[in-house]
Amino acid sequence: MMTPDGDAIVVDALRALATDPPREMTELVYSSWVKVPGPVGDLYVAFTHKGIDYVRSAEAMHGDQAQFRRSYRERFNRPLREAGRPPAGLLSALQGRPTRSLRFDLHGLTAFEHDVLAAAQRIPTGQTRPYGWVARMIGRPRAVRAVGTALGNNPVPILIPCHRVTKSNGVPGEYVFGGEMKQHLLRAEGVDLAEAYELARRKVNFIGSVTTHIVCFPTCAHARRIASQNRRGFRSVAEAADAGYRPCLRCAPALGASA
DNA sequence: GGGCGGGCGGGAG
DNA sequence: ACTCCCGCCCGCC
């Protein structure tokens, strides 16, 4: 026995609120997650309304989504609920077509870490740059090891390609998901690791062109176009400079070259 | 050629 | 706040 109109409307409204809270409200509490195929195995990807904030390889999580959710909660103190579909831009990014709709939610990172990730994002697919290059690009040339620490804290590996950051001699080095995974990722995008190891063995950290007298990192698109008879290896940029070479403007193997 | 210390940011006391 | 310790490093001896 309720009065018509008013009360019924209020009751319905309350019931609706109780069973179906507004979307924005649940988003304040939960983050979403999906499992998607990645370049080298499946990925767990978490995201908020602002963008993707966490990526783990299923392999590193032993294929256990509960472990993924636990690690997310440990890091962000926030629960996850499975989403019906992946966030905008994720699938195309994983197919090598990054779009503007791919967004990241990089909350909880320091300014330094932001800078490091931004620099890593500038490394083209299929190329690599050393930790020291990242340090120099963000204006902290001596913070080389700190760059490694920051990359190790990359919440969205693979999407922000910290696997493209190598040791100074071009060999892959360490990685959040293990060095093996780093090698798989690099090979999957066409990096010639056999060549990288060979150059490291010969202490060739840079490649110059005897015709242009420009010196590059070996994986730079420019360096790869140098005809074999015109290639000249250098151990350091200083050595190249002594021979009259200047740093490539594209890959910026030294100061004085803005990438 | 591998070991050692310099260098740096961040987190735990 | 300050110290200590660790880490996807680097280059020298």
Side-chain angles (χ1 to χ4, degrees), chain A residues 41-223:
Chain A
D42 289 340
L43 299 176
Y44 295 121
V45 177
F47 55 100
T48 70
H49 63 287
K50 290 187 201 159
I52 295 167
D53 65 348
Y54 200 53
V55 174
R56 297 289 102 167
S57 84
E59 184 180 314
M61 292 285 136
H62 307 101
D64 181 4
Q65 55 137 313
Q67 183 174 337
F68 169 68
R69 289 159 54 175
R70 235 178 290 126
S71 70
Y72 183 87
R73 192 160 192 158
E74 268 174 33
R75 178 155 177 162
F76 299 112
N77 195 29
R78 217 165 184 246
L80 282 175
R81 58 161 50 166
E82 190 159 12
R85 58 187 155 87
L90 175 60
L91 295 184
S92 53
L94 289 173
Q95 289 159 13
R97 289 182 288 104
T99 64
R100 246 169 243 92
S101 57
L102 181 73
R103 303 188 97 78
F104 298 112
D105 181 359
L106 270 20
H107 52 90
L109 296 185
T110 66
F112 178 82
E113 289 167 330
H114 265 103
D115 291 349
V116 167
L117 295 183
Q121 280 186 283
R122 300 173 56 185
I123 308 172
T125 304
Q127 299 189 32
T128 64
R129 301 288 182 270
Y131 291 95
W133 176 88
V134 173
R136 190 156 44 71
M137 293 314 270
I138 66 174
R140 315 298 299 270
R142 287 170 305 181
V144 181
R145 193 162 185 178
V147 164
T149 304
L151 291 176
N153 196 40
N154 178 8
V156 290
I158 301 184
L159 297 179
I160 292 184
C162 60
H163 58 280
R164 295 180 195 147
V165 184
T166 68
K167 305 184 85 169
S168 61
N169 61 3
V171 312
E174 274 308 322
Y175 189 54
V176 236
F177 304 148
E180 289 291 314
M181 178 72 78
K182 190 172 190 173
Q183 295 175 34
H184 291 324
L185 286 165
L186 290 172
R187 266 195 287 265
E189 55 186 59
V191 175
D192 186 346
L193 284 188
E195 178 185 50
Y197 287 114
E198 174 59 15
L199 291 176
R201 194 188 62 76
R202 290 164 40 206
K203 305 259 188 284
V204 172
N205 299 332
F206 305 92
I207 300 283
S209 160
V210 301
T211 61
T212 65
H213 288 85
I214 294 171
V215 63
C216 296
F217 288 115
T219 61
C220 174
H222 184 168

Side-chain angles (χ1 to χ4, degrees), chain A residues 2 7-21:
Chain A
M2 61 171 63
D7 287 0
I9 290 170
V10 169
V11 167
D12 282 349
L14 287 173
R15 185 174 295 136
L17 193 63
T19 57
D20 191 17

